[in-house]
Amino acid sequence: MKNEFADIVIPLAVAGSYTYRIPSHLSGKVIRGSRVAVPFGPRRIYTGLVIKVHGTPPENFIPRDISDVIQTSGMMNDRFLDFLSWLADYYLSHPGEVLKAAIPSSDDTPGRSLTREELHVIATPAFMAEMAGEGGNLMARAPRQREIADTYIRLLLQTGLTPPGFVKRSDLVKASGGISSTLNAMTAKGLFRIEAREITAITDESQISPPAALSLPQDEAYENIKRLFRDHEVVLLHGVTSSGKTELYIHLIREQLEQGKQVLYMLPEIALTTQIIERLRKHFGAAIEIYHSRMTTKSRMDIWERVNRAAGDDRLNLVLGVRSSLFLPFADLGLVIVDEEHDSSYKQYDPSPRYHARDAAMMLSRIHGARTLLGSATPSLESYHNAVTGRYGLVELKTRFGDVMMPAMMLADTREAGRRKAMSSHFAPQMLNAVEEALMKGEQVILFQNRRGFSPYIICSECGWVPGCTNCSVSYTYHKGIDKMVCHYCGKSEKPPHSCEACGSTGLVTRGFGTEKIEEEIKLIFPSATVARMDQDTTRGRNSHSIILSDFAGGATDILIGTQMISKGLDFENLTVVGILDADSMLHFPDFRAYERSFQMMEQVSGRAGRRTRRGKVIIQTGDPSHMILKQVLKHDYRAMYLTQLEERELFGYPPFTRLIRITLKHRDMTRLNQSAARFAVTLRKRLGKAVLGPEYPHVKQVQKWFLKTVLVKLGRDLSASKVKEMIRAAMEAEIKLSGNSGLRINADVDPQ
Ligand code: ADP
Ligand code: ZN
Ligand code: ZN
């Protein structure tokens, strides 16, 4: 029997693999792991992945020929293929979908590299003319601009250069006393040009410094991690904010690299990678690369190829990445670090595969015979439970490095202040006092509000009518800067109406507050402070993200207002006061994880305050100061939060006591949706009985004109998840057929977050 057939997975949302014939001129070149071009459908050619080569012709069709071989092998090692097939099985996904997520494809939107670039300033010919006294006096009545111009020249001269030359923007802002707006004005006048330039990695060995000496508690933690790794695949490092978790990672990484092993260091967001990378480069120089999906396909392919080389063959052994870095075909991993392991950004929502990068990382590690280190100041309940019950090793670091005190926590009762008429708009007196005090001492402030826009809804003060999106069942958020109502689900926007569409009244008012409103009001209250805002709306521009952060780090901004984007991982020297403006909306979010999430969010954002020498201060605004979670946050009492929440989870049958699979059915026609959802639930109930809940409408029941219904399956830990999943998969396929292919869509989310 000649091996003239190959089973090939095509990166599409189609089930299974397809058999093709290997034409004789390609035989020998097509092996497991080869990438090949194959015809698919009437005209199209796709790049597929060979998962099996065999001699069995398909039974009921004549196979088509493979058109060409793109890459013979090497790109896809066995471990990588095992990992992909595990993902498809576990997350009820198709191998084609997994492959599509895994392979950097050339039809991606042109990516960009955020990583090794930093903003630089360079003088323009207009600037040079100005300096030579030949211009039109662009800086005549602007002494601050003069100063910046002088500083620019001084910085260049210091490095032995003369203008025009590149100076790091952050250096210039810092050296000139940090007025970013003046610099922006000069750029607008055409005196300076801003350019993102690549920073060359340290290649000079002499510039690489050894890891810092560990403190006593750190050293103990380090030894414990290594000891626990002897008989645990996974160790959870629970260390309070600023305890030196990153420092421990550096030590562990070095040890792996010395043994010639590979390390993957995962973070939940790109923004965090840009801060951590500078720290890592000091120790690992050019031996580390960042990987994320916004990079160009070319740089991704380059890393892809370098991690898959044989040992010693100039292999890339250290990658810092976000969740997609799991899909790199590592040759020989020794350690995977999942930092901020509790973070829900590790979960992929759409498209399929809806994987959880933390959980998938543990499987990837296992396939490599490697170890996984989970790190967090506020571990997920699931991970902590696994650690407490002995499935994972547990190592705790309870004090901050240098014995800096945890920030002092304080509640501001907004309801009580409201009764006393002591609120200034949305701010309690304690909040404003703390901000004022910090500003007077020249310290910095972060104000956290997890909602963007001006106000979350507009309401008719006569009849209560609320304008909402016509594609989705949600109210519009009002954005004042653009004077539009925007749907945060589908992006649709409209001008706000002049009068109520229900009763005709002109008494339309805004309610609640988002970051935009906070920014407007804080500027009025503290007119001499420099205020910046960081949320999805202010970070659309190419470099906006790094400008906001570097201005804050450099002291150019006094008050930074932001959403969860500013809550995690960031390390600012001069930040002492953190204000949490609305604890209640987090606590009342309709989800069984709302309390856990609120604790994590508040603890994380608090952790940004007072990380170096001065003790930080955190003010939390709430109308419900006796709330259990708030009491736990005040004492930084993770353990109490864990115990109380665990009890609730057990009582109501939620993870970690059960596994959840959420199936979402979508249809543009509500009647058909209801029919299908009801029938689907009956099918599942026949097999799974009480484990099946629903169908019901989710919190938002219509998105982009699709009506949604969900069925939740709660599995006891005793049931075999893989059998149940097979059954669910079959029921999903059956329902699509029963609905007569009428436009019904069904997807499953395993371990929804
Ligand atoms: P975490 O990751 O737990 O938030 P970090 O590793 O960022 O903590 O440490 C907090 C701060 O303390 C950082 O500025 C770090 O450089 C410093 N630090 C931590 N451990 C040490 C050490 N052993 N020697 C010197 N500085 C340290
Ligand atoms: Zn009305
Ligand atoms: Zn919408």
Side-chain angles (χ1 to χ4, degrees), residues 460 462-463 465 500 502-503 505:
C460 168
E462 292 294 322
C463 73
W465 175 76
C500 172
C503 76
S505 154

Side-chain angles (χ1 to χ4, degrees), residues 322-611:
V322 293
R323 62 170 187 260
S324 55
S325 56
L326 280 176
F327 293 121
L328 287 168
F330 290 99
D332 188 17
L333 275 173
L335 176 68
V336 179
I337 296 166
V338 185
D339 198 9
E340 312 287 1
E341 68 84 29
H342 64 279
D343 199 300
S344 54
S345 311
Y346 276 127
K347 176 79 180 187
Q348 157 92 9
Y349 289 93
D350 255 327
S352 172
R354 296 175 178 79
Y355 63 100
H356 197 304
R358 172 195 63 217
D359 302 342
M362 293 189 246
M363 181 47 69
L364 182 66
S365 268
R366 174 177 293 178
I367 290 171
H368 281 259
R371 296 289 180 252
T372 308
L373 182 64
L374 309 180
S376 176
T378 54
S380 63
L381 232 57
E382 286 87 341
S383 296
Y384 200 71
H385 185 67
N386 277 327
V388 169
T389 54
R391 263 192 67 192
Y392 304 164
L394 176 63
V395 175
E396 310 214 60
L397 259 177
K398 297 189 169 158
T399 51
R400 288 187 152 187
F401 175 73
D403 286 324
V404 174
M405 293 232 273
M406 293 295 281
M409 311 291 285
M410 176 188 198
L411 296 183
D413 185 341
T414 48
R415 205 170 292 173
E416 185 265 341
R419 270 198 293 273
R420 286 194 290 117
K421 305 242 181 303
M423 293 289 286
S424 317
S425 179
H426 301 292
F427 306 101
Q430 298 98 312
M431 183 69 79
L432 294 182
N433 290 342
V435 174
E436 184 166 16
E437 205 179 77
L439 293 178
M440 282 195 349
K441 289 195 226 156
E443 297 170 357
Q444 290 172 300
V445 176
I446 274 189
L447 296 178
F448 171 76
Q449 167 63 351
N450 208 12
R451 246 174 202 285
R452 64 192 171 95
F454 191 78
S455 64
Y457 59 103
I458 294 178
I459 188 167
C460 168
S461 55
E462 292 294 322
C463 73
W465 175 76
V466 173
C469 178
T470 47
N471 295 334
C472 316
S473 58
V474 290
S475 59
Y476 274 129
T477 301
Y478 180 58
H479 288 246
K480 194 171 178 183
I482 49 171
D483 190 30
K484 284 218 168 112
M485 308 186 296
V486 181
C487 172
H488 285 186
Y489 278 79
C490 72
K492 189 178 169 208
S493 67
E494 284 185 60
K495 279 272 175 212
H498 293 290
S499 56
C500 172
E501 283 179 20
C503 76
S505 154
T506 50
L508 294 174
V509 292
T510 60
R511 278 284 163 78
F513 56 95
T515 45
E516 196 187 1
K517 190 168 190 192
I518 295 302
E519 182 189 17
E520 182 180 290
E521 296 190 337
I522 218 77
K523 279 180 171 163
L524 289 175
I525 299 173
F526 299 105
S528 57
T530 319
V531 180
R533 167 161 62 99
M534 183 153 152
D535 57 28
Q536 255 187 64
D537 299 313
T538 62
T539 50
R540 284 187 222 280
R542 191 175 136 78
N543 297 308
S544 45
H545 198 229
S546 44
I547 290 183
I548 296 172
L549 288 180
S550 74
D551 280 355
F552 195 66
T557 311
D558 302 311
I559 303 174
L560 180 62
I561 295 159
T563 55
Q564 50 81 29
M565 275 187 179
I566 56 170
S567 71
K568 39 186 123 169
L570 301 167
D571 190 29
F572 302 109
E573 204 172 332
N574 195 33
L575 168 67
T576 53
V577 169
V578 166
I580 296 172
L581 295 165
D582 181 14
D584 304 350
S585 64
M586 286 188 269
L587 289 166
H588 299 148
F589 193 77
D591 182 86
F592 74 90
R593 285 193 178 91
Y595 286 5
E596 177 191 352
R597 290 271 148 77
S598 305
F599 181 93
Q600 286 161 341
M601 193 77 97
M602 288 189 260
E603 193 62 27
Q604 288 291 339
V605 66
S606 304
R608 305 307 115 222
R611 287 168 72 88

